[in-house]
Amino acid sequence: MKEFKGQLVAGKFRYAIVVSRFNEFITGKLLSGAIDCLQRHGAKDDQIAVVWVPGSIEITVAAKKLAGGGKYHAVICLGAVIRGQTGHYEYVCQQVSRGIGQVNYETGVPTIFGVLTCETIEQAIERAGSKQGNAGASAAMSAMEMANLLEQLD
Ligand code: INI
């Protein structure tokens, strides 16, 4: 039997983080969590690039450019969509989830979905470094695991 498992180490890989400025009080925490996690698993500053975009809808186009450019081994997408009083929530969630999935599939570069989709601000806070951990750090773990795994599968 052959079994493949990606190591949870940054290795020599380069990581791009795309982060949305909308709900920055949450996404800033996700970004800190992701950077801290990469660094504590061995990443140096020159292995990490951070790219800010206006909102979650714009994450996809930046992620596609980064994933398709051949420079990064994984792209971590961070955003926070919080249900408001309008129907906008559904459209933003749908677009960003489908878009990131498509980039992942079309480029073959692990493109990690670290976008919170929450009913309330409280739920978002809980996932941005309090009760439920930090979704940015979890996304960074997935990025490292996938970068290492794909190298094994080469
Ligand atoms: N963008 C978010 O990242 N989170 C949200 O909760 C949100 N809501 O609710 O509207 C949001 N909207 C902006 C959107 O992502 C685009 O930036 C905007 O529509 C311009 O294209």
Side-chain angles (χ1 to χ4, degrees):
M1 183 184 90
K2 268 202 163 192
E3 193 176 15
F4 299 93
K5 282 183 187 175
Q7 302 268 98
L8 292 177
V9 292
K12 296 276 172 241
F13 301 114
R14 285 184 298 276
Y15 300 87
I17 305 174
V18 184
V19 56
S20 150
R21 207 177 298 111
F22 202 103
N23 289 325
E24 196 268 341
F25 71 108
I26 296 291
T27 62
K29 301 279 185 202
L30 300 180
L31 177 62
S32 308
I35 292 174
D36 177 65
C37 180
L38 290 171
Q39 287 176 336
R40 284 191 294 120
H41 287 80
K44 302 280 175 265
D45 276 1
D46 63 1
Q47 290 175 257
I48 306 172
V50 176
V51 177
W52 286 91
V53 294
S56 291
I57 298 246
E58 287 75 34
I59 288 176
T60 306
V61 69
K64 184 163 187 196
K65 183 140 193 162
L66 292 161
K71 188 168 174 196
Y72 297 99
H73 300 91
V75 178
I76 300 165
C77 301
L78 303 177
V81 195
I82 302 171
R83 190 185 287 278
Q85 296 304 305
T86 69
H88 208 59
Y89 173 86
E90 261 81 24
Y91 295 114
V92 178
C93 290
Q94 268 175 27
Q95 282 218 35
V96 68
S97 58
R98 191 169 331 117
I100 291 173
Q102 233 169 310
V103 173
N104 193 46
Y105 175 70
E106 284 173 7
T107 64
V109 173
T111 304
I112 310 298
F113 188 82
V115 179
L116 295 177
T117 56
C118 296
E119 294 295 314
T120 64
I121 285 178
E122 287 71 22
Q123 285 177 353
I125 292 169
E126 284 173 4
R127 288 158 180 77
S130 58
K131 268 201 247 173
Q132 306 281 343
N134 185 311
S138 308
M141 295 291 266
S142 300
M144 287 185 283
E145 182 170 346
M146 286 306 295
N148 281 286
L149 178 67
L150 289 194
E151 187 183 55
Q152 287 177 41
L153 299 182
D154 271 346

